[in-house]
Amino acid sequence: QAQLVESGGGVVQPGRSLRLSCEASGFTFSTSGMHWVRQAPGKGLEWVAFIQYHGGDERYADSVKGRFTISRDNSKNTVYLQMSSLRVEDTALYHCAREGNTRQVGTFDNWGQGTLVTVSS
Amino acid sequence: QSALTQPASVSGSPGQSITISCTGTSSDVGAYNYVSWYQQHPGRAPKLMIYDVTNRPSGVSDRFSGSKSGNTASLTISGLQAEDEADYYCNSYRSSGNVVFGGGTKLTVL
């Protein structure tokens, strides 16, 4: 059974950096595209970033482009989200999610429980 | 990146059917059959209910169905049950290669 476990969240000041991790198990991680999706408190879902199974294709939401970087280590079954120049509006629960469509079109068939990032002075 | 448009809330009585709409543009919903729907109960991670507009993952009740016409996709829940009360989100692939979500719809079972 696929399982995704996020870590690395916490309280950080505006302008600082933070790296999130998501460890996968129960499926062949090295053949799966992976996403980060966030949800601000009391708000809806917002897609953040995607990385292809081999790491060669990365995509970002306009709201984070140039500040966030997604990466992966297939030897560790882990996907990362490096967040820099953090803003108050980046405060959210960050979920990693597995891409369930071979065309890599944003079908999230497995989700982690999320890790909370709070950006506050 | 504008979100897809969903009604903020819908409601229905047990046994009834409800439909949630998800309106996008010719660059996302209208351009591809890559619309998915997710159910989220409070404090829980979202769960995939429909993918590729009409397909149900294994284990999802056949009371859930999806459709699309032009730039608008729809999720229909028939035989409404108390356990269906949750937030529902649509998403779509976009021509830019990115993904966009709807704002979410709160379903209340009366």
Side-chain angles (χ1 to χ4, degrees):
Chain A
Q1 182 178 353
Q3 187 172 10
L4 299 169
V5 179
E6 302 91 339
S7 61
V11 180
V12 61
Q13 292 179 327
R16 303 299 290 267
S17 299
L18 201 63
R19 188 178 83 155
L20 307 182
S21 301
C22 170
E23 185 171 358
S25 60
F27 65 97
T28 306
F29 179 77
S30 60
T31 62
S32 296
M34 297 296 296
H35 299 261
W36 286 95
V37 177
R38 68 185 181 184
Q39 187 167 29
K43 302 296 184 182
L45 300 172
E46 179 187 15
W47 174 78
V48 174
F50 163 79
I51 188 166
Q52 180 68 278
Y53 69 94
H54 53 67
D57 178 20
E58 300 166 24
R59 307 171 200 165
Y60 299 92
D62 289 347
S63 58
V64 307
K65 196 176 297 183
R67 300 187 300 121
F68 289 12
T69 301
I70 189 171
S71 62
R72 64 190 296 157
D73 185 338
N74 287 345
S75 69
K76 296 181 178 179
N77 285 358
T78 301
V79 60
Y80 304 97
L81 186 68
Q82 177 69 46
M83 306 183 294
S84 61
S85 302
L86 281 162
R87 305 168 180 168
V88 171
E89 54 264 36
D90 294 320
T91 294
L93 185 66
Y94 283 74
H95 297 274
C96 66
R98 185 179 74 171
E99 169 64 57
N101 192 310
T102 55
R103 297 180 181 87
Q104 316 294 307
V105 292
T107 303
F108 309 113
D109 68 348
N110 276 280
W111 296 69
Q113 291 300 314
T115 186
L116 182 62
V117 174
T118 302
V119 184
S120 173
S121 55
Chain B
Q1 288 172 325
S2 301
L4 306 177
T5 300
Q6 297 182 231
S9 63
V10 298
S11 62
S13 300
Q16 289 186 331
S17 294
I18 64 94
T19 296
I20 300 171
S21 61
C22 170
T23 301
T25 69
S26 57
S27 296
D28 39 63
V29 175
Y32 306 97
N33 288 324
Y34 297 137
V35 176
S36 300
W37 290 91
Y38 304 85
Q39 176 192 66
Q40 186 179 36
H41 288 110
R44 303 294 299 274
K47 174 186 177 183
L48 179 66
M49 305 301 285
I50 296 287
Y51 67 96
D52 292 355
V53 178
T54 61
N55 297 327
R56 274 188 313 276
S58 174
V60 172
S61 170
D62 60 5
R63 297 187 298 105
F64 292 81
S65 62
S67 62
K68 191 185 86 167
S69 177
N71 294 340
T72 299
S74 299
L75 172 71
T76 297
I77 308 174
S78 59
L80 210 55
Q81 299 179 1
E83 68 208 46
D84 299 331
E85 184 163 296
D87 293 326
Y88 291 84
Y89 295 90
C90 63
N91 81 337
S92 174
Y93 179 76
R94 215 163 226 190
S95 58
S96 60
N98 289 355
V99 178
V100 60
F101 277 97
T105 298
K106 181 177 180 60
L107 169 62
T108 300
V109 179
L110 301 171

